[in-house]
Amino acid sequence: MGGTGLRTRPLRVLLSALGIAIGVAAMLAVVGISMSGRAEVDRRLDRLGTNLLRVSPSQSLGQSSRLPEESTAMIRRIGPVRQVAATGAVGDAKVYRNEHMPSGRTGSIEVLAAEPRLLASVGGKIRTGRWLDSATAEYPGVVLGREAARRLDVHTPGTRLWLGGTWFSLVGIVDPVPLAPELDQAALVGWPAAREYLGFDGHPSTVYVRTEEDRVTAVRDVLAATANPEHPNQVVVSRPSDALAAREATESALTGLLLGLGGVALLVGGVGVGNTMVISVLERRPEIGLRRALGATSGQIRGQFVTESLLLCALGGAAGAVLGTGITAVYAAVRGWPTEVPLWATAAGVGVTLAIGALAGLYPAIRAGRLAPTQALAGSA
């Protein structure tokens, strides 16, 4: 009987179920996209590793300290350390497309001296060309981060760039490195070339350290004293993967907010179902009166209308689950993420929908069950 009541009013059922479907789809899409993004972060961390540490001089009262020139060699002596590479800020050197560019139009591109081991240490990849090696590090060659190359509008190895008052040749372009995002906007030159052509003083500004996976904390505790034994308090040691974890926590807070909005949409859909059921009771008074006259009890009438409400919400919940999963899959595919739609989220969405359906149909069902046969038939006349 409950299913029959829905089949007789298909358009109204479709519109009421649509409100429920939108709420469930919103909740599932929010959870699914958040979980897919988290899975992508975990996948990137597994690929890049969480064993990278970054050492840099501290800044206090607007003045920066400096790491000793020997800091890289001293860090390399720590037992669990597997890879060490450094970059050094090259004073006032700027890079331009040509020598005629105004001095102020730098594009915020920082010039850094880089050691040959840098790319392997940070887990970077060359997009075009090649990385600095023992030959190109000695001569005026430069490797650009992808964003730096975009700002300079150069994409072909061999292109000449005006860098620090000297012509440098573009050696390669590096893809963005999630654990070292500063390299994406930098122009990287070899350590010896930076000394010879750009007046680099040889002091590292950042040292990247790869350690054994299970010894990260132990190495982190001794890095400051090893990098600068005289002033260990002027050394900052950070773990780049922690920044990704912090971003994930921020996204989790945003997910909570969006889930609240999805819950509001679901509640609005429940109000729509309740309104539909109240109108259905008013319209079907003759049916109710006839069924009561034929011997149907108040409980049977209530059960019929509660069943209709539950079926209506179940229909909307199922449609919302399919729609939310589809939205998540499409978004994840566009972003290149793995698709993650947790089963508990689907079960919770459908369960909450059924609970809302029971509550939404309860009052109309009680109202219908209280109608006496004579009252219902007289009202229809």
Side-chain angles (χ1 to χ4, degrees):
M1 292 296 294
T4 301
L6 295 181
R7 288 195 299 271
T8 57
R9 298 167 178 81
L11 182 59
R12 182 182 298 172
V13 168
L14 176 62
L15 295 176
S16 299
L18 183 61
I20 291 291
I22 291 173
V24 173
M27 295 182 68
L28 276 183
V30 167
V31 174
I33 290 173
S34 175
M35 294 295 292
S36 298
R38 191 170 303 172
E40 173 63 14
V41 170
D42 293 339
R43 187 173 70 173
R44 288 165 60 187
L45 286 177
D46 289 341
R47 183 175 69 249
L48 298 171
T50 59
N51 60 335
L52 178 67
L53 296 172
R54 182 166 54 197
V55 181
S56 57
S58 63
Q59 294 184 352
S60 58
L61 300 178
Q63 295 182 347
S64 300
S65 57
R66 295 199 303 177
L67 294 175
E69 294 186 42
E70 304 81 10
S71 58
T72 304
M74 292 188 291
I75 291 173
R76 194 172 287 116
R77 297 192 186 101
I78 301 175
V81 170
R82 292 293 169 257
Q83 292 177 318
V84 182
T87 61
V90 183
D92 298 327
K94 304 297 180 185
V95 58
Y96 303 96
R97 180 71 182 269
N98 55 60
E99 74 273 28
H100 303 297
M101 297 295 293
S103 60
R105 298 185 61 180
T106 63
S108 300
I109 300 173
E110 186 178 14
V111 178
L112 299 174
E115 294 183 338
R117 303 185 187 91
L118 176 65
L119 197 64
S121 297
V122 299
K125 294 182 179 179
I126 284 290
R127 184 180 186 86
T128 303
R130 56 190 295 189
W131 177 245
L132 298 169
D133 54 27
S134 56
T136 53
E138 297 278 349
Y139 299 98
V142 57
V143 173
L144 297 176
R146 191 176 69 175
E147 178 61 20
R150 187 192 66 81
R151 293 179 185 179
L152 290 171
D153 194 25
V154 291
H155 309 283
T156 306
T159 303
R160 293 202 310 165
L161 297 172
W162 186 248
L163 199 162
T166 304
W167 286 108
F168 275 68
S169 178
L170 178 62
V171 176
I173 298 174
V174 181
D175 272 330
V177 183
L179 297 183
E182 62 276 6
L183 301 182
D184 194 34
Q185 305 176 32
L188 305 164
V189 300
W191 205 273
R195 283 181 177 271
E196 181 175 352
Y197 298 101
L198 304 177
F200 176 49
D201 60 9
H203 289 272
S205 56
T206 305
V207 181
Y208 300 92
V209 183
R210 286 278 183 184
T211 73
E212 295 178 1
E213 291 283 353
D214 57 345
R215 303 294 298 277
V216 175
T217 302
V219 173
R220 187 175 188 171
D221 292 340
V222 301
L223 267 181
T226 304
N228 192 348
E230 295 185 2
H231 304 286
N233 59 320
Q234 296 181 3
V235 178
V236 176
V237 180
S238 60
R239 191 175 183 180
S241 58
D242 291 343
L244 290 179
R247 187 179 68 182
E248 182 178 326
T250 303
E251 291 176 350
S252 297
L254 180 60
T255 298
L257 174 61
L258 295 177
L259 277 177
L261 296 177
V264 171
L266 191 57
L267 182 60
V268 171
V271 172
V273 171
N275 182 60
T276 298
M277 296 309 299
V278 169
I279 294 175
S280 181
V281 170
L282 295 176
E283 290 181 345
R284 295 161 63 186
R285 288 165 68 95
E287 175 193 333
I288 296 170
L290 180 60
R291 291 200 62 208
R292 291 298 306 277
L294 293 175
T297 65
S298 297
Q300 290 172 333
I301 298 296
R302 288 194 298 269
Q304 174 186 344
F305 282 90
V306 169
T307 300
E308 283 190 29
S309 180
L310 287 173
L311 288 175
L312 182 57
C313 288
L315 179 63
V322 173
L323 182 59
T325 302
I327 292 173
T328 301
V330 171
Y331 187 88
V334 171
R335 298 293 299 271
W337 296 352
T339 301
E340 291 276 344
V341 182
L343 182 60
W344 64 263
T346 305
V350 175
V352 170
T353 300
L354 293 177
I356 289 177
L359 293 175
L362 188 59
Y363 169 72
I366 293 174
R367 183 173 179 176
R370 287 177 178 174
L371 288 175
T374 55
Q375 180 186 3
L377 292 172
S380 65

